Amino acid sequence: VQLQASGGGSVQAGGSLRLSCAVSGRTFSKHAMGWFRQAPGKEREFVAVINWTGGAAWYGDYVKGRFTISRDNAENTVYLQMDSLKPEDTAVYYCAIYRIPRSTVRPSRVESYDYWGQGTQVTVSS
């Protein structure tokens, strides 16, 4: 299973970025997909998850109303639209695929995911 994240970069506060994560080697359409982030010196934290159908999504409190997760099951890709970015959003962002197919849970723990992308750096300047 391979996950390839892209779309990171440097923006000023208030700006936007759109991350993408292409998945291969697993039946993408049957698995929830998550985004996490890790800032220097901090633990990896949950950002957002979308269920396997794309019909429901959940977010960390610190990104609610600013970030939107979506997926295209025909393209085996999950996206994270990030708007109104803040300097505290600066981190390496990782996509991950949930281990259990067709699940109804809302996996927000790092341990719930078994494959991860390589990460993409997002830097927000004030």
Side-chain angles (χ1 to χ4, degrees):
V1 180
Q2 291 188 327
L3 290 79
Q4 182 68 43
S6 60
S10 298
V11 296
Q12 290 191 329
S16 298
L17 284 172
R18 189 191 195 204
L19 306 183
S20 300
C21 176
V23 179
S24 61
R26 175 173 282 181
T27 308
F28 174 82
S29 62
K30 296 181 182 178
H31 292 263
M33 293 294 301
W35 284 98
F36 290 73
R37 68 187 184 187
Q38 188 166 19
K42 295 187 176 182
E43 294 186 350
R44 194 168 296 189
E45 66 177 6
F46 169 74
V47 173
V49 60
I50 188 166
N51 74 344
W52 60 285
T53 67
W58 300 272
Y59 300 89
D61 289 341
Y62 26 84
V63 304
K64 279 181 182 177
R66 300 188 297 121
F67 290 12
T68 303
I69 189 171
S70 62
R71 66 190 295 158
D72 184 338
N73 284 348
E75 296 293 330
N76 287 0
T77 302
V78 62
Y79 304 96
L80 186 68
Q81 177 66 42
M82 304 185 295
D83 299 316
S84 302
L85 282 161
K86 304 176 181 180
E88 51 263 43
D89 294 319
T90 295
V92 177
Y93 283 71
Y94 298 90
C95 57
I97 188 165
Y98 183 53
R99 63 180 70 244
I100 301 173
R102 298 194 181 95
S103 175
T104 59
V105 302
R106 306 177 183 183
S108 61
R109 298 177 58 190
V110 169
E111 296 77 13
S112 299
Y113 296 81
D114 54 354
Y115 290 97
W116 294 78
Q118 82 286 5
T120 184
Q121 177 70 46
V122 172
T123 303
V124 185
S125 58
S126 57

